Amino acid sequence: MRIFAKQWVSTLLERLGMEEGVPIESKMISKRIEGAQKAVEAQNFESRKHLLEYDDVMNKQREAVYGLRRQLLEGVDQRELILEDYVGGILSGFLDEFAGEKVRPEQWNIKGLEEKFVDQFGLNLAATQIKPQELSRHELGEEIFAKLTEAYVAKEKILGAPTMRYHERMVMLSVIDGLWKDHLLSMDHLKEGISLRGYAQKDPLVEYKRESFDMFEAMMMKFQEDTVRFLFRMQILGADGQPVDAAPRPNRVVPKAPPVASAGSRRRVFVAGVERGAAADAGRGAAGNRHSQPPASTTIDALEKEFHRKKQRELEVASRSGGGEGSQPTQRRTGEKIGRNDPCPCGSGKKYKKCHGAEK
Protein backbone atom coordinates (compact mmCIF):
# COMPACT_ATOMS: atom_id res chain seq x y z
CA MET A 1 0.00 0.00 0.00
CA ARG A 2 2.70 2.48 0.92
CA ILE A 3 4.62 1.77 -2.31
CA PHE A 4 1.98 1.42 -5.01
CA ALA A 5 -1.17 3.21 -3.74
CA LYS A 6 -1.81 6.90 -4.17
CA GLN A 7 -2.37 9.36 -1.30
CA TRP A 8 -6.14 9.44 -1.60
CA VAL A 9 -6.34 5.69 -1.07
CA SER A 10 -4.47 6.00 2.21
CA THR A 11 -6.74 8.88 3.31
CA LEU A 12 -9.87 6.88 2.45
CA LEU A 13 -8.72 3.92 4.49
CA GLU A 14 -8.07 6.11 7.50
CA ARG A 15 -11.62 7.55 7.32
CA LEU A 16 -13.08 4.06 7.13
CA GLY A 17 -11.18 3.13 10.27
CA MET A 18 -8.92 0.51 8.68
CA GLU A 19 -6.13 -0.53 10.97
CA GLU A 20 -2.61 -1.80 10.19
CA GLY A 21 -2.51 -5.42 9.08
CA VAL A 22 -6.21 -5.73 8.24
CA PRO A 23 -6.77 -7.38 4.82
CA ILE A 24 -8.39 -5.21 2.13
CA GLU A 25 -11.51 -6.74 0.69
CA SER A 26 -12.70 -3.80 -1.40
CA LYS A 27 -12.53 -4.53 -5.15
CA MET A 28 -12.14 -0.86 -6.04
CA ILE A 29 -9.09 -0.43 -3.82
CA SER A 30 -7.56 -3.71 -5.02
CA LYS A 31 -7.88 -2.62 -8.68
CA ARG A 32 -6.29 0.74 -7.93
CA ILE A 33 -3.36 -0.89 -6.22
CA GLU A 34 -2.95 -3.38 -9.09
CA GLY A 35 -2.89 -0.55 -11.65
CA ALA A 36 -0.30 1.36 -9.65
CA GLN A 37 1.87 -1.75 -9.39
CA LYS A 38 1.74 -2.29 -13.18
CA ALA A 39 2.76 1.30 -13.82
CA VAL A 40 5.76 1.06 -11.52
CA GLU A 41 6.84 -2.28 -12.96
CA ALA A 42 6.56 -0.91 -16.50
CA GLN A 43 8.73 2.04 -15.51
CA ASN A 44 11.36 -0.28 -14.05
CA PHE A 45 11.24 -2.44 -17.16
CA GLU A 46 11.86 0.58 -19.38
CA SER A 47 14.81 1.55 -17.21
CA ARG A 48 16.34 -1.91 -17.48
CA LYS A 49 15.65 -2.02 -21.21
CA HIS A 50 17.31 1.35 -21.64
CA LEU A 51 20.32 0.17 -19.65
CA LEU A 52 20.56 -2.99 -21.77
CA GLU A 53 20.71 -0.90 -24.94
CA TYR A 54 23.66 0.96 -23.50
CA ASP A 55 25.32 -2.33 -22.61
CA ASP A 56 24.78 -3.68 -26.14
CA VAL A 57 26.98 -0.89 -27.51
CA MET A 58 29.86 -1.94 -25.26
CA ASN A 59 29.22 -5.61 -25.91
CA LYS A 60 29.64 -5.24 -29.67
CA GLN A 61 32.92 -3.40 -29.21
CA ARG A 62 34.07 -5.99 -26.69
CA GLU A 63 33.36 -8.82 -29.13
CA ALA A 64 35.45 -7.12 -31.83
CA VAL A 65 38.44 -6.58 -29.53
CA TYR A 66 38.29 -10.03 -27.92
CA GLY A 67 37.97 -11.66 -31.34
CA LEU A 68 41.22 -9.99 -32.42
CA ARG A 69 42.95 -11.00 -29.19
CA ARG A 70 41.81 -14.59 -29.62
CA GLN A 71 43.37 -14.74 -33.09
CA LEU A 72 46.65 -13.37 -31.73
CA LEU A 73 46.73 -15.87 -28.87
CA GLU A 74 45.96 -18.76 -31.23
CA GLY A 75 48.91 -17.80 -33.44
CA VAL A 76 47.06 -16.70 -36.58
CA ASP A 77 49.39 -15.18 -39.19
CA GLN A 78 48.97 -11.38 -39.23
CA ARG A 79 51.53 -10.47 -41.92
CA GLU A 80 49.03 -9.87 -44.70
CA LEU A 81 46.75 -7.91 -42.38
CA ILE A 82 49.61 -5.61 -41.34
CA LEU A 83 51.04 -4.99 -44.80
CA GLU A 84 47.87 -4.85 -46.87
CA ASP A 85 45.35 -3.31 -44.46
CA TYR A 86 47.29 -1.40 -41.81
CA VAL A 87 50.17 -0.07 -43.93
CA GLY A 88 47.94 0.50 -46.94
CA GLY A 89 45.34 2.37 -44.88
CA ILE A 90 47.92 4.60 -43.17
CA LEU A 91 49.61 5.36 -46.50
CA SER A 92 46.27 6.29 -48.06
CA GLY A 93 45.52 8.60 -45.14
CA PHE A 94 48.87 10.38 -45.51
CA LEU A 95 48.32 10.89 -49.22
CA ASP A 96 44.84 12.31 -48.60
CA GLU A 97 46.26 14.72 -46.05
CA PHE A 98 49.36 15.97 -47.89
CA ALA A 99 48.70 15.11 -51.55
CA GLY A 100 44.97 15.26 -52.13
CA GLU A 101 43.33 14.10 -55.32
CA LYS A 102 42.05 17.59 -56.15
CA VAL A 103 45.40 19.26 -55.44
CA ARG A 104 47.97 19.79 -58.16
CA PRO A 105 51.38 18.07 -57.71
CA GLU A 106 53.24 21.37 -57.33
CA GLN A 107 50.94 22.21 -54.41
CA TRP A 108 51.57 19.00 -52.50
CA ASN A 109 53.02 19.30 -49.01
CA ILE A 110 56.08 17.15 -49.68
CA LYS A 111 57.92 18.30 -46.56
CA GLY A 112 55.03 17.35 -44.30
CA LEU A 113 54.68 14.01 -46.09
CA GLU A 114 58.38 13.22 -45.57
CA GLU A 115 58.15 14.08 -41.87
CA LYS A 116 55.15 11.82 -41.44
CA PHE A 117 56.89 8.88 -43.12
CA VAL A 118 60.02 9.33 -41.02
CA ASP A 119 57.95 9.44 -37.83
CA GLN A 120 55.65 6.54 -38.72
CA PHE A 121 57.86 4.18 -40.73
CA GLY A 122 61.40 5.50 -40.27
CA LEU A 123 61.54 5.89 -44.07
CA ASN A 124 63.37 8.84 -45.61
CA LEU A 125 61.81 9.56 -48.99
CA ALA A 126 64.85 11.54 -50.09
CA ALA A 127 67.11 8.53 -49.53
CA THR A 128 64.82 6.24 -51.56
CA GLN A 129 65.34 8.31 -54.73
CA ILE A 130 61.59 8.81 -55.11
CA LYS A 131 60.72 12.12 -56.78
CA PRO A 132 57.09 12.95 -55.91
CA GLN A 133 56.93 15.92 -58.32
CA GLU A 134 57.55 13.63 -61.31
CA LEU A 135 54.93 11.06 -60.35
CA SER A 136 51.17 10.99 -60.25
CA ARG A 137 49.37 10.45 -56.96
CA HIS A 138 48.71 6.78 -57.74
CA GLU A 139 52.29 6.15 -58.89
CA LEU A 140 53.63 7.87 -55.78
CA GLY A 141 51.55 5.62 -53.56
CA GLU A 142 52.69 2.50 -55.41
CA GLU A 143 56.37 3.47 -55.18
CA ILE A 144 56.19 4.24 -51.47
CA PHE A 145 54.27 1.04 -50.73
CA ALA A 146 56.89 -1.00 -52.62
CA LYS A 147 59.69 0.61 -50.56
CA LEU A 148 57.85 -0.05 -47.31
CA THR A 149 57.25 -3.69 -48.25
CA GLU A 150 60.91 -4.07 -49.19
CA ALA A 151 62.04 -2.66 -45.83
CA TYR A 152 59.67 -4.96 -43.94
CA VAL A 153 60.83 -8.03 -45.87
CA ALA A 154 64.47 -7.13 -45.17
CA LYS A 155 63.73 -6.96 -41.45
CA GLU A 156 61.92 -10.29 -41.67
CA LYS A 157 64.96 -11.92 -43.32
CA ILE A 158 67.17 -10.81 -40.44
CA LEU A 159 64.89 -12.24 -37.76
CA GLY A 160 63.44 -15.14 -39.69
CA ALA A 161 59.77 -15.66 -40.57
CA PRO A 162 58.72 -17.53 -37.36
CA THR A 163 60.40 -14.97 -35.08
CA MET A 164 58.86 -12.09 -37.02
CA ARG A 165 55.39 -13.61 -36.73
CA TYR A 166 55.90 -13.96 -32.96
CA HIS A 167 56.97 -10.33 -32.61
CA GLU A 168 53.97 -9.20 -34.65
CA ARG A 169 51.55 -10.96 -32.33
CA MET A 170 53.27 -9.75 -29.16
CA VAL A 171 53.37 -6.14 -30.32
CA MET A 172 49.71 -6.22 -31.35
CA LEU A 173 48.66 -7.79 -28.06
CA SER A 174 50.57 -5.22 -26.01
CA VAL A 175 49.15 -2.28 -27.97
CA ILE A 176 45.52 -3.44 -28.01
CA ASP A 177 45.52 -4.23 -24.27
CA GLY A 178 46.73 -0.77 -23.32
CA LEU A 179 44.37 1.05 -25.67
CA TRP A 180 41.38 -1.08 -24.63
CA LYS A 181 41.83 -0.24 -20.94
CA ASP A 182 41.96 3.48 -21.76
CA HIS A 183 38.90 3.11 -23.97
CA LEU A 184 36.87 1.46 -21.18
CA LEU A 185 37.68 4.35 -18.85
CA SER A 186 36.64 6.89 -21.50
CA MET A 187 33.37 5.02 -22.10
CA ASP A 188 32.55 5.15 -18.38
CA HIS A 189 33.07 8.91 -18.36
CA LEU A 190 30.87 9.29 -21.46
CA LYS A 191 28.10 7.23 -19.91
CA GLU A 192 28.04 9.28 -16.72
CA GLY A 193 27.26 12.55 -18.48
CA ILE A 194 25.34 11.42 -21.55
CA SER A 195 21.96 11.92 -19.85
CA LEU A 196 22.54 15.70 -19.94
CA ARG A 197 22.07 15.62 -23.70
CA GLY A 198 18.35 15.36 -23.03
CA TYR A 199 18.29 19.06 -22.05
CA ALA A 200 19.33 19.86 -25.63
CA GLN A 201 16.36 17.86 -26.97
CA LYS A 202 18.61 14.99 -28.07
CA ASP A 203 18.16 11.30 -27.40
CA PRO A 204 20.94 10.30 -24.95
CA LEU A 205 21.05 6.75 -26.31
CA VAL A 206 21.53 7.90 -29.89
CA GLU A 207 24.25 10.31 -28.81
CA TYR A 208 25.92 7.61 -26.78
CA LYS A 209 25.96 5.20 -29.73
CA ARG A 210 27.36 7.83 -32.09
CA GLU A 211 30.10 9.09 -29.80
CA SER A 212 31.09 5.63 -28.60
CA PHE A 213 31.44 4.49 -32.22
CA ASP A 214 33.67 7.49 -32.99
CA MET A 215 35.80 6.71 -29.96
CA PHE A 216 36.10 3.06 -30.96
CA GLU A 217 37.12 3.98 -34.50
CA ALA A 218 39.77 6.37 -33.13
CA MET A 219 41.06 3.62 -30.82
CA MET A 220 41.39 1.09 -33.67
CA MET A 221 43.15 3.64 -35.87
CA LYS A 222 45.54 4.39 -33.04
CA PHE A 223 46.09 0.64 -32.65
CA GLN A 224 47.03 0.27 -36.32
CA GLU A 225 49.40 3.26 -36.27
CA ASP A 226 51.17 2.16 -33.09
CA THR A 227 51.51 -1.44 -34.30
CA VAL A 228 53.01 -0.39 -37.63
CA ARG A 229 55.29 2.18 -35.97
CA PHE A 230 56.69 -0.31 -33.47
CA LEU A 231 57.27 -3.01 -36.10
CA PHE A 232 58.88 -0.73 -38.70
CA ARG A 233 61.01 1.24 -36.24
CA MET A 234 62.06 -1.85 -34.29
CA GLN A 235 65.87 -2.14 -34.16
CA ILE A 236 67.58 -5.52 -34.23
CA LEU A 237 70.79 -5.63 -32.22
CA GLY A 238 73.60 -8.05 -32.96
CA ALA A 239 75.85 -9.89 -30.53
CA ASP A 240 78.11 -6.83 -30.29
CA GLY A 241 75.19 -4.58 -29.34
CA GLN A 242 75.17 -2.76 -32.68
CA PRO A 243 72.06 -2.49 -34.89
CA VAL A 244 71.85 -5.05 -37.68
CA ASP A 245 70.67 -3.63 -40.99
CA ALA A 246 70.97 -6.65 -43.27
CA ALA A 247 70.73 -10.39 -43.03
CA PRO A 248 74.10 -12.20 -42.80
CA ARG A 249 75.16 -13.77 -46.07
CA PRO A 250 75.93 -17.49 -45.93
CA ASN A 251 79.54 -18.52 -46.53
CA ARG A 252 79.48 -20.29 -49.85
CA VAL A 253 83.25 -20.48 -50.48
CA VAL A 254 84.02 -23.86 -52.02
CA PRO A 255 87.59 -25.12 -51.40
CA LYS A 256 89.56 -25.72 -54.54
CA ALA A 257 90.45 -29.32 -55.37
CA PRO A 258 94.23 -30.04 -55.41
CA PRO A 259 95.63 -30.66 -58.91
CA VAL A 260 96.57 -34.26 -59.73
CA ALA A 261 99.19 -35.24 -62.26
CA SER A 262 98.39 -37.99 -64.73
CA ALA A 263 100.53 -41.06 -65.28
CA GLY A 264 101.64 -39.95 -68.74
CA SER A 265 102.64 -36.40 -67.87
CA ARG A 266 105.21 -35.19 -65.35
CA ARG A 267 103.74 -31.78 -64.62
CA ARG A 268 104.37 -30.10 -61.28
CA VAL A 269 101.88 -30.77 -58.48
CA PHE A 270 101.63 -29.43 -54.93
CA VAL A 271 101.22 -31.87 -52.05
CA ALA A 272 100.99 -30.27 -48.55
CA GLY A 273 102.53 -27.08 -49.89
CA VAL A 274 105.71 -28.76 -51.32
CA GLU A 275 106.44 -28.51 -55.04
CA ARG A 276 107.33 -31.75 -56.69
CA GLY A 277 108.04 -32.58 -60.33
CA ALA A 278 110.20 -34.38 -62.77
CA ALA A 279 113.31 -32.57 -61.59
CA ALA A 280 112.65 -33.61 -58.00
CA ASP A 281 112.20 -37.23 -59.12
CA ALA A 282 115.52 -37.08 -60.95
CA GLY A 283 117.19 -35.67 -57.86
CA ARG A 284 115.81 -38.50 -55.76
CA GLY A 285 117.20 -41.05 -58.25
CA ALA A 286 120.67 -39.49 -58.07
CA ALA A 287 120.62 -39.41 -54.28
CA GLY A 288 119.46 -43.01 -53.87
CA ASN A 289 122.41 -43.91 -51.63
CA ARG A 290 121.36 -41.48 -48.94
CA HIS A 291 119.82 -42.83 -45.74
CA SER A 292 116.91 -40.35 -45.81
CA GLN A 293 113.49 -41.78 -46.61
CA PRO A 294 112.41 -40.87 -50.14
CA PRO A 295 109.18 -38.86 -50.41
CA ALA A 296 106.08 -40.48 -51.86
CA SER A 297 105.40 -40.22 -55.56
CA THR A 298 102.57 -38.02 -56.78
CA THR A 299 101.31 -39.82 -59.87
CA ILE A 300 97.99 -41.62 -59.73
CA ASP A 301 99.43 -45.06 -60.50
CA ALA A 302 102.25 -44.67 -58.01
CA LEU A 303 99.88 -43.43 -55.30
CA GLU A 304 97.60 -46.41 -55.88
CA LYS A 305 100.51 -48.88 -55.68
CA GLU A 306 101.78 -47.25 -52.53
CA PHE A 307 98.32 -47.49 -50.98
CA HIS A 308 98.08 -51.22 -51.76
CA ARG A 309 101.55 -51.85 -50.34
CA LYS A 310 100.66 -49.99 -47.16
CA LYS A 311 97.46 -52.00 -46.71
CA GLN A 312 99.36 -55.24 -47.30
CA ARG A 313 101.89 -54.32 -44.62
CA GLU A 314 99.12 -53.52 -42.17
CA LEU A 315 97.46 -56.88 -42.82
CA GLU A 316 100.74 -58.73 -42.27
CA VAL A 317 101.39 -56.94 -38.98
CA ALA A 318 97.84 -57.63 -37.82
CA SER A 319 98.14 -61.34 -38.68
CA ARG A 320 101.38 -61.64 -36.69
CA SER A 321 100.36 -59.68 -33.62
CA GLY A 322 96.60 -60.07 -33.53
CA GLY A 323 96.58 -63.82 -32.73
CA GLY A 324 98.70 -63.54 -29.52
CA GLU A 325 99.77 -66.85 -27.95
CA GLY A 326 97.21 -68.76 -29.96
CA SER A 327 99.03 -67.89 -33.19
CA GLN A 328 102.19 -69.91 -32.22
CA PRO A 329 102.72 -73.25 -34.07
CA THR A 330 101.32 -76.29 -32.24
CA GLN A 331 103.90 -78.76 -30.86
CA ARG A 332 103.19 -82.39 -31.72
CA ARG A 333 104.27 -85.50 -29.83
CA THR A 334 105.99 -88.31 -31.83
CA GLY A 335 106.36 -91.12 -29.22
CA GLU A 336 103.85 -93.20 -27.31
CA LYS A 337 101.62 -91.47 -24.82
CA ILE A 338 102.78 -91.92 -21.20
CA GLY A 339 100.06 -92.65 -18.67
CA ARG A 340 99.83 -90.69 -15.48
CA ASN A 341 100.46 -93.77 -13.30
CA ASP A 342 103.30 -95.15 -15.47
CA PRO A 343 106.93 -94.87 -14.30
CA CYS A 344 108.56 -91.66 -15.34
CA PRO A 345 110.93 -92.18 -18.31
CA CYS A 346 113.62 -90.10 -16.57
CA GLY A 347 114.59 -93.12 -14.38
CA SER A 348 113.75 -91.55 -11.01
CA GLY A 349 111.44 -94.46 -10.08
CA LYS A 350 108.52 -92.15 -9.40
CA LYS A 351 105.18 -92.15 -11.18
CA TYR A 352 104.91 -89.86 -14.15
CA LYS A 353 102.21 -87.77 -12.47
CA LYS A 354 104.49 -87.20 -9.46
CA CYS A 355 107.58 -86.37 -11.49
CA HIS A 356 107.67 -84.67 -14.86
CA GLY A 357 103.90 -85.05 -15.36
CA ALA A 358 103.17 -82.77 -12.41
CA GLU A 359 104.22 -79.77 -14.50
CA LYS A 360 101.38 -80.35 -16.99
Side-chain angles (χ1 to χ4, degrees):
M1 285 291 294
R2 297 190 186 97
I3 300 175
F4 302 108
K6 296 184 179 180
Q7 183 64 32
W8 67 269
V9 178
S10 178
T11 304
L12 177 60
L13 293 177
E14 290 178 359
R15 290 179 180 179
L16 294 176
M18 297 292 295
E19 298 180 358
E20 188 75 19
V22 177
I24 302 174
E25 298 179 355
S26 175
K27 294 183 179 180
M28 180 183 66
I29 298 176
S30 298
K31 289 181 179 180
R32 291 291 183 180
I33 294 175
E34 183 180 356
Q37 186 175 1
K38 289 181 179 180
V40 173
E41 290 295 337
Q43 184 179 358
N44 294 337
F45 175 76
E46 289 295 330
S47 300
R48 291 193 297 270
K49 182 181 178 181
H50 202 59
L51 183 62
L52 182 61
E53 291 176 348
Y54 280 91
D55 291 340
D56 286 341
V57 177
M58 279 298 302
N59 190 39
K60 292 178 181 178
Q61 298 180 5
R62 188 179 295 108
E63 289 177 355
V65 173
Y66 285 6
L68 176 60
R69 293 189 79 257
R70 188 177 299 107
Q71 292 182 2
L72 298 176
L73 293 175
E74 291 176 355
V76 179
D77 192 350
Q78 304 294 327
R79 183 179 186 276
E80 184 177 355
L81 177 67
I82 293 173
L83 286 179
E84 298 296 335
D85 294 349
Y86 293 178
V87 176
I90 295 173
L91 175 60
S92 178
F94 287 170
L95 292 178
D96 292 340
E97 182 179 358
F98 298 100
E101 295 182 358
K102 299 182 180 179
V103 181
R104 303 183 64 178
E106 55 269 14
Q107 297 178 347
W108 289 348
N109 187 1
I110 303 300
K111 184 178 180 180
L113 186 64
E114 291 178 350
E115 292 177 355
K116 277 289 186 179
F117 275 105
V118 171
D119 177 66
Q120 181 67 37
F121 302 101
L123 178 68
N124 188 359
L125 292 181
T128 58
Q129 299 179 354
I130 297 178
K131 298 179 180 180
Q133 294 82 358
E134 299 179 1
L135 302 174
S136 63
R137 186 177 182 275
H138 180 73
E139 293 175 349
L140 177 61
E142 292 292 335
E143 290 289 336
I144 295 176
F145 184 77
K147 292 294 182 182
L148 293 175
T149 305
E150 181 180 349
Y152 196 80
V153 171
K155 192 182 297 291
E156 182 178 333
K157 289 181 179 179
I158 299 175
L159 290 175
T163 306
M164 194 64 183
R165 300 291 86 79
Y166 172 79
H167 282 287
E168 289 172 354
R169 296 194 298 270
M170 292 302 103
V171 168
M172 294 176 72
L173 270 175
S174 177
V175 173
I176 193 62
D177 288 347
L179 293 177
W180 178 243
K181 289 187 291 186
D182 296 339
H183 179 71
L184 291 178
L185 182 60
S186 301
M187 291 292 288
D188 289 340
H189 293 164
L190 175 64
K191 191 174 182 179
E192 289 176 358
I194 198 65
S195 59
L196 300 176
R197 304 296 176 89
Y199 291 103
Q201 303 300 320
K202 295 180 180 179
D203 189 353
L205 178 60
V206 175
E207 294 296 313
Y208 179 78
K209 290 181 178 179
R210 182 180 60 81
E211 294 196 14
S212 63
F213 178 77
D214 294 340
M215 293 170 60
F216 184 76
E217 287 291 320
M219 183 200 71
M220 294 305 296
M221 190 63 191
K222 177 70 173 175
F223 163 70
Q224 296 180 13
E225 293 177 354
D226 290 351
T227 299
V228 172
R229 181 185 296 109
F230 292 149
L231 290 175
F232 272 85
R233 297 182 65 89
M234 175 177 58
Q235 287 189 347
I236 305 171
L237 301 180
D240 55 353
Q242 299 297 325
V244 179
D245 297 330
R249 296 181 179 180
N251 187 11
R252 297 183 179 179
V253 178
V254 180
K256 296 181 179 180
V260 179
S262 62
S265 63
R266 303 297 295 169
R267 292 176 295 179
R268 294 181 178 180
V269 295
F270 292 84
V271 179
V274 180
E275 182 179 0
R276 307 184 188 276
D281 294 340
R284 286 196 301 270
N289 296 328
R290 297 181 181 179
H291 296 286
S292 61
Q293 184 178 359
S297 178
T298 56
T299 61
I300 295 178
D301 295 339
L303 290 174
E304 186 176 359
K305 292 178 181 179
E306 181 66 22
F307 175 77
H308 285 297
R309 286 196 297 270
K310 184 177 179 181
K311 297 296 291 185
Q312 186 66 26
R313 288 195 299 269
E314 292 177 356
L315 291 175
E316 292 176 357
V317 172
S319 63
R320 288 196 300 269
S321 60
E325 297 179 355
S327 62
Q328 297 180 359
T330 305
Q331 296 181 2
R332 296 189 177 184
R333 184 173 51 252
T334 56
E336 295 181 359
K337 182 178 179 180
I338 302 174
R340 291 176 55 81
N341 295 320
D342 294 343
C344 185
C346 67
S348 61
K350 297 180 180 180
K351 291 184 178 181
Y352 180 72
K353 65 181 180 180
K354 298 289 184 178
C355 190
H356 287 80
E359 298 177 359
K360 298 182 179 180

